Amino acid sequence: MSGVYARRIAVLAASAALAATTGLLTAPSAQAAMPTPVAASTARTYLSELTVQAEGSSSGYSRDKFPHWITQSGACDTREVVLKRDGTNVSQNSSCSAVSGSWYSEYDGATWTAASDLDIDHMVPLAEAWRSGASGWTNAQRQSYANDLTRPQLIAVTDNVNQSKGDRDPAKWLPSRTAYQCTYARAWVHVKHYYDLTVDPAEKTALQSVLNGC
């Protein structure tokens, strides 16, 4: 794990701890979208800076090693925060569950009115992160990654589309809605660069192809 990432995650953890102890940890205001990823030109630069190596092993991987969804504020966990953020006219009950609203799935262009039809996708899947360097992180670091609301890492999408993606990288899966593929590649590279994760050769080639068309 790089020193740069170690410092970043330490700052994140310290900030979260301070906010939690002072009662200031609140859900972000609704913006109806995940955080905007870096521009295509920046993503191309970031991609050139990523370490290219064969994908690591899945040995030892478990979703439990990436604790989610954690409480963000009051009764609201990360999933509910993203549902509120990514939806339109979302109403929540006293338990913070979304009981009404509308959600547009960027991956496939479908619109849903029931939160149960949505999954919260990790842009760079947890298992992919594990094979790209996160196996060497602590559980606390993986928890921060799995609940990152600041980077373009979490997005509400059609549940079965997210399940079809699984833990595949862009060499093996891209959103069917081609209009979103550029944003997807920019977000993928943004996340991998921030967390100092590696890319395998086929993954890099696929990302270059998409970004060159942005």
Side-chain angles (χ1 to χ4, degrees):
M1 180 173 64
S2 74
V4 172
Y5 174 63
R7 288 192 296 274
R8 285 173 176 164
I9 204 69
V11 170
L12 283 172
S15 297
L18 176 62
T21 57
T22 58
L24 296 177
L25 189 59
T26 57
S29 59
Q31 59 187 52
M34 74 174 184
T36 303
V38 294
S41 58
T42 302
R44 287 191 287 270
T45 299
Y46 280 6
L47 182 58
S48 71
E49 295 171 351
L50 293 178
T51 298
V52 180
Q53 64 183 46
E55 196 165 80
S57 170
S58 293
S59 177
Y61 168 73
S62 167
R63 287 180 67 85
D64 291 341
K65 293 183 178 180
F66 291 80
H68 65 288
W69 303 110
I70 63 169
T71 300
Q72 294 289 340
S73 176
C76 301
D77 65 19
T78 307
R79 171 182 165 82
E80 299 300 344
V81 169
V82 176
L83 284 172
K84 176 72 171 178
R85 183 198 71 189
D86 289 3
T88 301
N89 297 324
V90 178
S91 294
Q92 296 170 304
N93 63 19
S94 60
S95 299
C96 206
S97 296
V99 294
S100 65
S102 176
W103 292 267
Y104 178 77
S105 173
E106 294 282 7
Y107 289 1
D108 58 330
T111 297
W112 303 98
T113 56
S116 58
D117 288 319
L118 284 300
D119 275 357
I120 307 305
D121 181 39
H122 289 92
M123 179 63 62
V124 178
L126 305 182
E128 165 69 19
W130 177 270
R131 297 189 296 264
S132 304
S135 60
W137 301 350
T138 65
N139 272 21
Q141 290 164 348
R142 289 190 287 264
Q143 175 176 294
S144 293
Y145 177 85
N147 297 275
D148 188 351
L149 293 165
T150 305
R151 262 59 55 182
Q153 165 68 339
L154 300 172
I155 184 171
V157 295
T158 304
D159 54 2
N160 62 354
V161 172
N162 180 51
Q163 290 152 25
S164 74
K165 171 184 171 178
D167 62 357
R168 292 184 289 175
D169 69 36
K172 301 172 183 174
W173 190 93
L174 286 168
S176 61
R177 193 167 77 85
T178 55
Y180 197 69
Q181 289 180 2
C182 178
T183 302
Y184 186 86
R186 288 160 48 208
W188 183 282
V189 172
H190 186 155
V191 171
K192 281 221 160 179
H193 187 269
Y194 182 83
Y195 285 100
D196 198 25
L197 296 170
T198 63
V199 289
D200 65 55
E203 176 188 355
K204 181 173 182 177
T205 296
L207 288 163
Q208 283 177 323
S209 178
V210 175
L211 291 172
N212 287 341
C214 292

